[in-house]
Amino acid sequence: MNESLDEIEKFVIKRIKEIRETKGVTQEELSLSIGKNIGFISQIEAPSKKAKYNLIHLNLIAIALGCSIKDFFPNEPIKEKKYDIREIKAKKS
């Protein structure tokens, strides 16, 4: 998956793919069910692309897959060093 994506973005993309595949929904079917072009989901799921979902996409996908939007997120925050308050303060000094 594209290295420019944050870990939370990668997690959500992977989780949606897992749910989609478990339910037997193709990328094309999901794309069309949320009003996007046929290749929308494949662009996001492609490891070399930096495309990602926004909140509206997530809500529409939850409706289309018959699940909660909460199902796409981890139970605990994903901590990345670049978001550590101490690191941010140190860079400002």
Side-chain angles (χ1 to χ4, degrees):
M1 197 161 286
N2 193 298
E3 293 305 314
S4 68
L5 294 177
D6 285 0
E7 291 303 312
I8 186 67
E9 293 166 326
K10 292 176 189 177
F11 182 94
V12 169
I13 291 167
K14 182 180 174 197
R15 186 71 183 118
I16 289 172
K17 181 179 179 180
E18 290 169 355
I19 295 169
R20 177 183 64 72
E21 289 176 340
T22 298
K23 293 185 178 268
V25 177
T26 67
Q27 290 177 337
E28 180 178 326
E29 289 169 334
L30 186 55
S31 293
L32 295 174
S33 73
I34 66 169
K36 296 295 182 180
N37 66 43
I38 291 171
F40 180 77
I41 301 296
S42 66
Q43 287 288 311
I44 291 176
E45 289 182 1
S48 61
K49 306 291 183 184
K50 59 181 177 180
K52 56 190 171 186
Y53 298 115
N54 65 34
L55 289 173
I56 295 168
H57 299 144
L58 297 179
N59 191 57
L60 292 171
I61 291 169
I63 293 167
L65 294 177
C67 63
S68 171
I69 197 170
K70 294 185 289 185
D71 295 334
F72 306 146
F73 295 97
N75 291 328
E76 297 294 325
I78 295 176
K79 297 177 182 175
E80 290 187 62
K81 189 174 183 176
K82 66 182 175 181
Y83 297 121
D84 186 327
I85 298 296
R86 294 170 297 222
E87 293 288 325
I88 294 169
K89 287 182 178 180
K91 286 181 184 177
K92 284 187 172 182
S93 301

